[in-house]
Amino acid sequence: MLIDPNVDKFKEECGVFGVYTNGGVDVARLTYYGLYALQHRGQESAGIAVSNGEEIKLHKELGLLTEAFTEEDINKLKGDIAIGHVRYSTTGSTKVENAQPLLSSYKLGSIAVAHNGNLVNVDMLRGLLEDVGYVFHTTIDTEVVISLIARGVNKGIEAAVYDAIGAIKGSFAMVIETKDKLIGVRDPYGIRPLCLGKIDEGYVLTSESCAFDTIGAEFIRDIEPGEIVIIDENGVKSISYSEKTGGHTCAFEYIYFARPDSVIDGINVHQSRVRAGEQLFREAPIEADVVIGVPDSGIPAAVGYSKASGIPFDMGFVKNRYVGRTFITPSQELRERAVSVKLNPLKCNVEGKRVVLIDDSIVRGTTSRHLIESLRKAGATEVHFRVASPVVQFPCYFGIDISYRKELIGANKTTEEICDFIGCDSLAYLSLDGLKESLGNNSINGFCLGCLNGKYPVSTPIEIDKNYLER
């Protein structure tokens, strides 16, 4: 049995980071450590682009940061402005050409772009650009953005970015670098997070506030939905390019993606997960002897469930933290011996006990089944599964790697059928209202709940393609 909880999860999208300084700072190293705090958002590739005021130099490779960069690579990147990216591919295959940032030259200089999210009208825009002679070198939507910006750069970089952003639809948190500016952009609905921080020597943009703590920066504020910020020698300038939408931050940022020590749009991620666990007990109580969580994102909800129920919380699984992004697949003989590579039950805490197992979500269900089997083999007398989010029933088009309902167990089976499939004694999910309750009354933003209720803040690619063909 190969137990890897990451196999049965949504993938972590991407992470972006940018820094502007007035000199005297090793911005490449600063960006490296900022990206290190965002490594959970993407493990397929990493890249850093640095401007020295005259030109932009770029280094990017496949793999984790520690695989993509050496000390020598960092030392070659000298300048005062930098952007960086860690990637999990939601569009485009995994090859170094598709790694970000993307760097492009145009008549007035160079521009680099790093993007978290997904553009839903990218195929239409790519076709229009190809019709007027553009040749694309990658298969990712970020190249469409950089081509749109370069196309209008004669108007000045601010106008070019404004026009390009107006043409694209979908989710995006971007950092853009020219020879003398750092620009941040968040989509009109704020689906993907982006925030602004201050260091003594300048300003920082990043996907999550946890990166500020890593480099000693101070959080200033979240970038608002529909906002462009331009950072240069004059300081920070803000441009609103879209009507106020009220925001629709991706709910899965709080459920699973974000690090627990981040604060996104005024909501503390860890506290929201604990509240989800408390609400889950109120909605789905059960008599049991111990509450355990699936490491790592299921643990805060398990703490909340324990707190609300009075049932003791304890460690249920030991996580092997030295298993990297890839490892040698066990042989059939080892599989038959039920070898657990990443998670192994802590027998002394579950043997002879009625167990409440808490996880943040169920996507495909296969790992949940393996975890329950392992608990029973460790001697658990009952296993009651509680999920700290509603049923995932619909695909995501905005930066998550699930595009088809056939991949989702919640779209194809009832709760009773899922319970039978994963082999638990009972199964319950947090309700949609319960999730909203756990996220609190946030006056700044609402939430994108498309994968949970099928209602999306932006037209999906299917709707866009249909409308385009009907013209």
Side-chain angles (χ1 to χ4, degrees):
M1 182 196 312
L2 176 60
I3 297 178
D4 177 0
N6 296 319
V7 170
D8 195 24
K9 297 291 185 185
F10 284 144
K11 297 303 181 183
E12 297 91 336
E13 315 158 314
C14 302
V16 299
F17 185 92
V19 56
Y20 179 96
T21 72
N22 294 315
V25 179
D26 188 344
V27 293
R29 198 172 300 272
L30 203 65
T31 302
Y32 178 90
Y33 284 108
L35 291 176
Y36 204 81
L38 303 176
Q39 185 75 86
H40 60 287
R41 297 186 71 87
Q43 298 93 46
E44 287 189 0
S45 66
I48 297 174
V50 174
S51 170
N52 62 11
E54 298 296 330
E55 62 177 346
I56 298 174
K57 290 188 176 180
L58 170 67
H59 177 84
K60 59 182 181 179
E61 290 290 347
L62 297 179
L64 302 171
L65 271 165
T66 52
E67 298 167 324
F69 285 89
T70 64
E71 185 78 18
E72 184 180 0
D73 295 328
I74 294 292
N75 290 336
K76 288 179 181 178
L77 298 173
K78 300 295 183 184
D80 300 329
I81 310 171
I83 65 171
H85 189 269
V86 288
R87 179 177 188 253
Y88 175 81
S89 59
T90 54
T91 65
S93 57
T94 303
K95 55 184 181 180
V96 72
E97 291 84 357
N98 286 338
Q100 296 186 47
L102 290 188
L103 177 62
S104 179
S105 296
Y106 57 95
K107 62 180 69 176
L108 299 181
S110 297
I111 185 171
V113 177
H115 168 215
N116 168 215
N118 235 32
L119 306 185
V120 295
N121 63 337
V122 66
D123 291 337
M124 182 178 67
L125 290 173
R126 187 186 294 270
L128 293 172
L129 287 167
E130 286 174 337
D131 287 344
V132 295
Y134 278 81
V135 177
F136 289 92
H137 304 285
T138 74
T139 57
I140 59 174
D141 47 9
T142 312
E143 190 176 8
V144 172
V145 177
I146 206 168
S147 299
L148 288 170
I149 295 172
R151 187 182 182 202
V153 83
N154 286 339
K155 304 175 184 178
I157 188 64
E158 293 182 19
V161 170
Y162 186 94
D163 289 346
I165 298 305
I168 62 178
K169 298 184 184 299
S171 64
F172 48 91
M174 293 184 199
V175 287
I176 302 166
E177 176 185 29
T178 66
K179 67 178 183 179
D180 58 0
K181 296 181 190 294
L182 172 65
I183 301 171
V185 186
R186 194 174 181 191
D187 70 71
Y189 294 90
I191 298 173
R192 296 289 156 234
L194 189 66
C195 52
L196 174 68
K198 182 78 172 69
I199 53 175
D200 292 339
E201 305 83 2
Y203 293 92
V204 182
L205 293 166
T206 183
S207 292
E208 290 186 39
S209 62
C210 63
F212 295 144
D213 301 326
T214 301
I215 63 168
E218 177 187 357
F219 174 84
I220 297 177
R221 65 177 179 87
D222 292 285
I223 304 304
E224 293 184 5
E227 182 183 12
I228 301 171
V229 291
I230 298 106
I231 305 171
D232 58 20
E233 61 183 4
N234 299 314
V236 180
K237 176 183 176 181
S238 173
I239 299 172
S240 178
Y241 69 89
S242 173
E243 294 181 3
K244 298 293 184 182
T245 65
H248 291 78
T249 311
C250 172
F252 256 87
E253 291 287 351
Y254 304 100
I255 294 168
Y256 175 66
F257 291 133
R259 256 177 51 164
D261 51 338
S262 288
V263 177
I264 298 175
D265 292 323
I267 300 174
N268 183 289
V269 173
H270 172 76
Q271 291 176 351
S272 73
R273 291 173 182 171
V274 172
R275 289 194 298 269
E278 293 172 340
Q279 181 65 24
L280 185 56
F281 170 73
R282 288 191 283 269
E283 294 182 1
I286 194 74
E287 291 187 5
D289 302 309
V290 66
V291 178
I292 65 175
V294 178
D296 289 305
S297 53
I299 290 177
V303 170
Y305 196 97
S306 171
K307 181 180 174 182
S309 66
I311 302 170
F313 166 81
D314 213 332
M315 180 186 295
F317 291 96
V318 176
K319 184 175 182 179
N320 185 344
R321 301 185 184 277
Y322 298 95
V323 177
R325 183 173 46 92
T326 58
F327 46 85
I328 298 171
T329 303
S331 65
Q332 183 61 33
E333 179 185 359
L334 286 176
R335 283 202 181 112
E336 290 172 358
R337 290 172 179 265
V339 173
S340 299
V341 176
K342 287 197 175 183
L343 291 180
N344 200 44
L346 194 56
K347 187 174 182 180
C348 62
N349 284 347
V350 301
E351 188 174 21
K353 294 182 179 180
R354 299 168 296 173
V355 175
V356 181
L357 176 61
I358 310 286
D359 205 356
D360 59 88
S361 59
I362 301 177
V363 177
R364 297 178 180 88
T366 50
T367 301
S368 302
R369 181 171 60 179
H370 291 161
L371 292 173
I372 292 164
E373 287 175 1
S374 72
L375 288 173
R376 294 198 187 281
K377 287 183 178 180
T381 58
E382 297 176 14
V383 181
H384 300 277
F385 205 165
R386 296 293 180 267
V387 185
S389 65
V391 183
V392 178
Q393 301 183 71
F394 302 92
C396 175
Y397 302 100
F398 307 119
I400 302 176
D401 68 327
I402 295 289
S403 300
Y404 302 100
R405 294 192 73 189
K406 65 182 180 182
E407 301 177 56
L408 303 170
I409 192 171
N412 298 287
K413 295 180 184 293
T414 66
T415 299
E416 292 74 19
E417 289 170 337
I418 297 171
C419 184
D420 290 341
F421 175 78
I422 64 178
C424 55
D425 292 283
S426 70
L427 170 66
Y429 291 83
L430 183 66
S431 69
L432 202 58
D433 287 340
L435 173 64
K436 294 175 183 177
E437 181 72 22
S438 72
L439 294 173
N441 296 317
N442 183 7
S443 60
I444 300 173
N445 272 7
F447 305 97
C448 177
L449 304 167
C451 62
L452 305 175
N453 63 8
K455 298 177 183 178
Y456 304 96
V458 185
S459 297
T460 67
I462 295 171
E463 292 169 323
I464 288 174
D465 290 344
K466 179 176 180 289
N467 293 336
Y468 186 66
L469 291 171
E470 288 177 350
R471 288 178 184 173

